[in-house]
Every structure is written in C-alpha cells, then in structure tokens.
Amino acid sequence: MAEDRNVTIVEVGPRDGLQNEKGVISTEDKLELIRLLADAGVRRIEATAFVSPKWVPQMTDHDAVMRNAVRRPGLLLSALVPNEKGALAAIAAGAQELAVFASASETFAQKNTNCTIAESIERFRPVLTLAREHGLPVRGYVSCAVDCPYEGAINPAAVREVAESLVGIGCGEIAVADTIGRARPERVDAMLAAVRQSVLADHLACHFHDTSGQALANVDVALGHGVRIFDSAVAGLGGCPYAPGAAGNLATRDLVLHLNDRGFRQPVDLEMLALAEALARQMKASK
Ligand code: HMG
Ligand code: MG
C-alpha cells in the first residue's frame, strides 16, 4: 500500500497560543485571527477554551468567539472543554469538535484542573455523552506525555494508560503533548512506541511546544510512527499558565515548510498565512 502523504494541521494559536497572554486581546482581533487562518487554508482550528474564567482569564470571551467565528465548508472549529459545563456551553455556541484534556502527570493534573487523572477521566464521561448526542468528534489530549514541569521525566507506560482511558470513554483522536517543549526525539520515539501499542497511528496527533528547538525533529519521529496530524500555532504563539517554562507551540509556518520539504501534502498557503502572523505578532506586542 502506498504511504499516506496527506497531513492535517490543527491550528491551536487562537486557544493555546493566546491563553497565556496577560494583556487584553479584543474578541474582534481573535475573530479576525481565526478568519485569516481560515483564509490561509487551515482546516482545523482550536478556536477557544470553555474553561473557568477564573483559571484562564484570556478565554473569558469563549462564547462570543465561538458564536461569531467564521464558518466555512471543510473548516472544523474546535473548543477545549474541561467538564460537562464547558461542553454544554461550547455546543450551544456552535463548536464542531470538542477537546478534553488529561495529563500523564498527577501533579500537572492537579495544577491544571484541580483533580486527579482518574477524576479528570470521570469528568469527561458526560462530555463524551453530549458529543455523541450531537454527533461531534472528540479529541483527548494527554499533557506531559514526555516531561512534566513538576515531576520531570514521565514513564511512557503512564502515557499509554491515560491514552487508553481516553479511547475507552470514546475519544476518537488522541493528541499526545510535549507540554513544556523539552522532549528529545529519542524520548518521543519511546513514548510513541508505547502509545501505539494501544492507539492506531491514524487516531494519533502530536502537539509539540518548541522551547528547546526540538519540535521539528520530533515531528520527523512522529511521521516515522505513521502520525499524520500535527498541532501548531500561528507565529509560534503559545504556553500554558500552569506549565512554568512552557514556551510557544511549534510555529505553523515552520511546520508547513518542514512537511512540504518532506513531500507531505497540506493545504496552507504561506502568503496568506503571513497576514495571520502579522496580526498574531501585533497581539503579542500590544500586551
Ligand atoms: P475548580 O475550581 O476545581 O472547579 O476548577 P469548580 O467546579 O469548583 O468550579 C469553580 C468555578 O469555575 C465555578 O464558578 C464554576 O461554575 C466555574 P463560581 O461558582 O466560583 O463562580 N466553572 C466553569 N466556568 C466556565 N466554564 C467551565 C467551568 N467549569 C467550572 N467549563 C476547572 C476546575 C477544570 C474548571 C478549572 O481547573 C479549569 O478551568 N482549568 C482549566 C485550565 C486550563 O485551561 N489550562 C490550559 C489549557 S490545557 C493546556 O494548555 C495543555 C494543552 O495545550 C496540551 C499541552 O500542551 O499539554 C491542551
Ligand atoms: Mg499546549
């Protein structure tokens, strides 16, 4: 069988990219960023997070963002949700995909969501039920899939276990995340080898932050494992308020160029992307 050379890019800039920004970013600017990304040909955009405004103030306008975000045939707008309350609000606002987020580190689960890993999985069950009722796909993140800012190196078996739990409750896609962007390719290789014992490569996505400049080398490792879905953020925006040391996500332009170089097909137009990058940089500069 011929190797699959089609790759999907999930643009997480409007959510992961902006969530850590301290300054006021207007809802209008967020909507314009999403529109420019859609114009550039991105087909999946994580538009916002229906999380507690007390925990992540930058996402307080989630409802207005999701309700007013551009809609295009072939474009999937996703919302990050931590629980049933978030899922109900995201669905009411028109989210086309939900993303739940678990962690392979107990300490990070507490810091990020104020619960244990097992409790987080229980919180997701009603999210999956709602998604099924509304015919929406659900992605499940596994944060700290390689390293945790609090616990250090994470055992690949722990990542596999959380991925299995997420598949078990009905997540159709598992996104393994190098939350702090310090993973070296050998360790990503070991983690993916473990996770693939339980999850087919077709159902896997990789979410790399780029703190140590290893993200593209890690993309290559993941391509070798058959992964064809990659997250990135416009202009390399990004960071998590509960992961000290986490720098930006892998930049969308770097990912596109890298995939093009390797003969993988994806639909992003780099000239159009430049318009979204200019706005993203302006958002960062104005804080
Ligand atoms: P909690 O304080 O334990 O929850 O927070 P609670 O149930 O006691 O609720 C506290 C308050 O939040 C209540 O309001 C709830 O109504 C409200 P109050 O009565 O005090 O006025 N609340 C909500 N409001 C809006 N939307 C909701 C919601 N749920 C409760 N969905 C909770 C628990 C999970 C809510 C909180 O810890 C939280 O929101 N955490 C989110 C943290 C976050 O967003 N982190 C960044 C995203 S994850 C990430 O970046 C990693 C990723 O990129 C992958 C990677 O790189 O690793 C995905
Ligand atoms: Mg992230």
Side-chain angles (χ1 to χ4, degrees):
M1 204 171 75
E3 191 196 354
D4 183 4
R5 307 297 286 181
N6 291 314
V7 182
T8 299
I9 292 178
V10 179
E11 169 62 51
V12 296
R15 193 280 303 170
D16 205 357
L18 296 182
Q19 69 185 10
N20 211 25
E21 294 299 319
K22 299 288 176 281
V24 178
I25 297 172
S26 72
T27 305
E28 288 65 32
D29 277 354
K30 292 176 185 176
L31 292 170
E32 177 67 359
L33 184 66
I34 293 168
R35 190 183 66 73
L36 290 171
L37 288 165
D39 286 350
V42 177
R43 306 239 169 97
R44 288 177 63 180
I45 302 178
E46 203 169 88
T48 186
F50 286 78
V51 296
S52 163
K54 288 180 187 151
W55 283 67
V56 185
Q58 190 58 258
M59 295 287 111
T60 303
D61 60 354
H62 40 226
D63 203 57
V65 169
M66 187 54 82
R67 280 182 196 278
N68 297 300
V70 67
R71 307 277 151 162
R72 299 265 168 83
L75 170 66
L76 197 70
L77 290 178
S78 169
L80 193 75
V81 302
N83 52 21
E84 185 177 22
K85 182 182 171 96
L88 281 166
I91 292 168
Q96 295 165 316
E97 182 191 29
L98 302 180
V100 294
F101 49 111
S103 164
S105 149
E106 282 293 356
T107 313
F108 188 73
Q110 288 292 348
K111 300 268 187 194
N112 199 37
T113 50
N114 203 23
C115 63
T116 65
I117 297 170
E119 284 165 349
S120 74
I121 302 291
E122 288 313 306
R123 280 182 188 173
F124 300 153
R125 285 187 196 279
V127 174
L128 270 295
T129 304
L130 280 168
R132 254 192 313 277
E133 285 167 9
H134 290 83
L136 302 182
V138 183
R139 151 184 273 211
Y141 281 100
V142 186
S143 285
C144 302
V146 187
D147 292 299
C148 166
Y150 308 100
E151 294 184 9
I154 297 294
N155 186 339
V159 184
R160 190 186 69 209
E161 222 173 276
V162 177
E164 273 173 9
S165 300
L166 290 168
V167 170
I169 61 171
C171 293
E173 180 176 298
I174 301 300
V176 285
D178 177 19
T179 309
I180 54 172
R182 297 194 186 279
R184 296 205 53 84
E186 315 79 75
R187 306 218 13 257
V188 171
D189 188 36
M191 179 273 290
L192 287 173
V195 172
R196 283 185 58 220
Q197 291 171 21
S198 303
V199 187
L200 292 173
D202 284 2
H203 296 255
L204 271 178
C206 281
H207 175 107
F208 294 121
H209 288 252
D210 202 17
T211 316
S212 307
Q214 296 291 319
L216 291 175
N218 292 333
V219 166
D220 284 339
V221 169
L223 286 168
H225 277 276
V227 176
R228 294 291 180 268
I229 306 171
F230 294 97
D231 295 5
S232 62
V234 56
L237 290 174
C240 172
Y242 299 100
N249 292 77
L250 170 57
T252 302
R253 173 174 298 270
D254 293 350
L255 177 61
V256 167
L257 288 169
H258 190 77
L259 293 170
N260 287 352
D261 273 356
R262 278 153 181 68
F264 286 94
R265 284 183 296 271
Q266 53 67 43
V268 178
D269 177 320
L270 288 172
E271 278 181 34
M272 298 293 286
L273 183 69
L275 301 176
E277 288 169 333
L279 177 56
R281 291 198 184 100
Q282 205 181 303
M283 286 167 153
K284 259 193 108 61
S286 65
K287 64 175 175 165

